[in-house]
């Protein structure tokens, strides 16, 4: 599982850039440890929610229709966000470059685009015997 530390500053108004790699036919898991500008675990509490999708990058075959929707979660204890895709999903995503974002919604309804980035998808090459 890829684990990354990001600093979430809601007043900045811009998401953190973080690029990912998906290997087709394998379970994909990414974890983001989220801290505030004081380098302390961000104050996610019960009521916060998260969502994330990926789309094909601009160019041939690009579309605004999501290619995949991650199973996304916020852990209020570890102050982290997780993104997951099962191997059944990664196995059918065409190789290439994609874009994704992660949106978090506070308990009072404010939505923040917290993370944006590129995803490089490698194809399924072989399967285990």
């Amino acid at each position: 599982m890829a684990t990354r530390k990001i600093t979430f500053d809601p007043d900045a108004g811009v998401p953190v850039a973080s690029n990912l790699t998906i290997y087709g036919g394998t379970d994909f898991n990414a974890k983001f440890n989220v801290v505030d500008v004081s380098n302390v675990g961000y104050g996610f509490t019960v009521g916060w929610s998260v969502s994330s999708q990926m789309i094909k990058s601009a160019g041939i075959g690009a579309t605004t229709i999501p290619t995949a929707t991650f199973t996304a979660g916020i852990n209020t204890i570890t102050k982290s966000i997780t993104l997951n895709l099962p191997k059944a999903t990664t196995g059918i995503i065409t190789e290439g470059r994609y874009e994704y974002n992660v949106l978090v919604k506070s308990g009072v309804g404010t939505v923040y685009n917290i993370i944006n980035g590129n995803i490089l998808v490698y194809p399924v090459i072989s399967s285990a015997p």
Side-chain angles (χ1 to χ4, degrees), residues 93-117:
I93 298 173
T94 306
E95 72 175 298
R97 191 167 67 93
Y98 293 78
E99 298 173 9
Y100 80 106
N101 69 352
V102 177
L103 303 177
V104 293
K105 182 177 179 183
S106 71
V108 296
T110 304
V111 177
Y112 301 99
N113 186 357
I114 187 170
I115 306 167
N116 275 10

Side-chain angles (χ1 to χ4, degrees), residues 11-125:
D11 297 327
V14 295
V16 173
S18 184
N19 297 328
L20 303 172
T21 303
I22 293 176
Y23 295 94
T26 64
D27 290 326
F28 172 80
N29 301 293
K31 180 178 179 182
F32 299 92
N33 293 324
V34 184
V35 297
D36 62 18
V37 293
S38 300
N39 203 31
V40 175
Y42 193 79
F44 296 128
T45 58
V46 174
W48 281 76
S49 60
V50 62
S51 64
S52 182
Q53 296 179 327
M54 62 186 279
I55 61 170
K56 187 76 173 152
S57 287
I60 298 172
T63 176
T64 57
I65 299 170
T67 302
T69 299
F70 293 95
T71 300
I74 289 181
N75 186 317
T76 59
I77 296 169
T78 63
K79 309 302 184 189
S80 62
I81 293 173
T82 55
L83 304 179
N84 302 291
L85 286 175
K87 63 183 173 184
T89 301
T90 65
I92 60 174
I93 298 173
T94 306
E95 72 175 298
R97 191 167 67 93
Y98 293 78
E99 298 173 9
Y100 80 106
N101 69 352
V102 177
L103 303 177
V104 293
K105 182 177 179 183
S106 71
V108 296
T110 304
V111 177
Y112 301 99
N113 186 357
I114 187 170
I115 306 167
N116 275 10
N118 295 306
I119 300 175
L120 183 56
V121 176
Y122 287 97
V124 175
I125 296 173

